[in-house]
C-alpha cells in the first residue's frame, strides 16, 4: 500500500510498485490479470489502484505524440523570476499549453514544457502570456526539433 512517511510523502510497498509496473506496461490491463501477476485478487488490485490514484501517486492517461494530434511545436522554456516563485508557477500551471512545471536550482528558477499548434501559437504563448506574468524577469526557449525518447517507466525503478 501507499502509506505516508514522516514527511507526508506516500511510501509505496513492493506489491503496489508491481501493480504500477503492470499498468505502465499496459494501462488497460485487466485487474484480474494484474492480480494474477502480483498475487492479489481482482478486488484487492482495484482497491489498491484506486488508493494510488486518490493519493496522487499515479495517473492513468493516454499518452500521445503531440505531432500526430495536431501540435506541431514543443519547447522547453527556462524562466527567471524576481521574488516569490509560487505565484508564477501557479499561473503557468493553469495554462493549457504548459504540460510540465518544475522549480529548479541552477540557471533558471523554473523550467516548463509547452505544447503548441505551431510557431505562431508558441510565440503568442511565450510573448503575450508567459513574459507578461508579474515577476517574470526573462525567458529562454529551447524548441524541440525531434523527440527521440519519452517514457514513463521510471516510476518503478529502484532508487
Amino acid at each position: 500500500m501507499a502509506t505516508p512517511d514522516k514527511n507526508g510523502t506516500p511510501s509505496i510497498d513492493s506489491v503496489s510498485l508491481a501493480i504500477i509496473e503492470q499498468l505502465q506496461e499496459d494501462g488497460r490491463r485487466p485487474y484480474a490479470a494484474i492480480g494474477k501477476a502480483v498475487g492479489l485478487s481482482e478486488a484487492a488490485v482495484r482497491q489498491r489502484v484506486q488508493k494510488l490514484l486518490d493519493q496522487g501517486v499515479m495517473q492513468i492517461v493516454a499518452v500521445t505524440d503531440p505531432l500526430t494530434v495536431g501540435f506541431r511545436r514543443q519547447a522547453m522554456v527556462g524562466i527567471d523570476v524576481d521574488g516569490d516563485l509560487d505565484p508564477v508557477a501557479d499561473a503557468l500551471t493553469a495554462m493549457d499549453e504548459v504540460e510540465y512545471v518544475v522549480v529548479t536550482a541552477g540557471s533558471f528558477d523554473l523550467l516548463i514544457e509547452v505544447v503548441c499548434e505551431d510557431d505562431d501559437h508558441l510565440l503568442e504563448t511565450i510573448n503575450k502570456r508567459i513574459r507578461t506574468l508579474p515577476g517574470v524577469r526573462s525567458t529562454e526557449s529551447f524548441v524541440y526539433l525531434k523527440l527521440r525518447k519519452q517514457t514513463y517507466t521510471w516510476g518503478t525503478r529502484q532508487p
Side-chain angles (χ1 to χ4, degrees):
M1 290 296 230
T3 55
D5 65 13
K6 63 182 178 183
N7 298 321
T9 304
S11 178
I12 302 168
D13 67 15
S14 61
V15 175
S16 291
L17 284 173
I19 291 170
I20 292 169
E21 188 174 75
Q22 291 284 311
L23 289 168
Q24 285 180 321
E25 288 174 11
D26 180 357
R28 298 182 306 155
R29 185 166 287 155
Y31 290 149
I34 294 171
K36 186 174 182 180
V38 303
L40 293 176
S41 69
E42 177 180 350
V45 170
R46 183 180 315 280
Q47 190 174 38
R48 279 187 181 242
V49 167
Q50 190 59 54
K51 187 171 184 180
L52 291 166
L53 293 168
D54 291 346
Q55 291 179 325
V57 171
M58 69 175 191
Q59 298 175 18
I60 300 173
V61 298
V63 178
T64 63
D65 175 350
L67 285 173
T68 63
V69 292
F71 295 99
R72 303 276 178 232
R73 184 55 69 214
Q74 289 179 267
M76 186 68 65
V77 181
I79 302 171
D80 286 320
V81 175
D82 286 323
D84 189 359
L85 300 175
D86 289 339
V88 177
D90 291 345
L92 292 166
T93 299
M95 292 182 187
D96 289 338
E97 294 85 356
V98 177
E99 297 297 323
Y100 174 84
V101 178
V102 64
V103 177
T104 64
S107 299
F108 301 103
D109 297 312
L110 300 168
L111 281 175
I112 65 169
E113 183 178 40
V114 294
V115 178
C116 296
E117 295 168 17
D118 53 30
D119 287 336
D120 289 336
H121 185 197
L122 176 62
L123 177 61
E124 179 193 333
T125 300
I126 293 171
N127 196 42
K128 304 267 193 236
R129 298 184 57 216
I130 295 171
R131 288 183 177 157
T132 60
L133 289 173
V136 171
R137 181 177 48 235
S138 65
T139 65
E140 185 172 348
S141 302
F142 303 90
V143 175
Y144 297 4
L145 298 176
K146 186 174 190 176
L147 183 61
R148 295 289 301 259
K149 181 178 181 179
Q150 179 176 331
T151 64
Y152 298 94
T153 57
W154 53 265
T156 59
R157 261 190 351 221
Q158 293 301 313

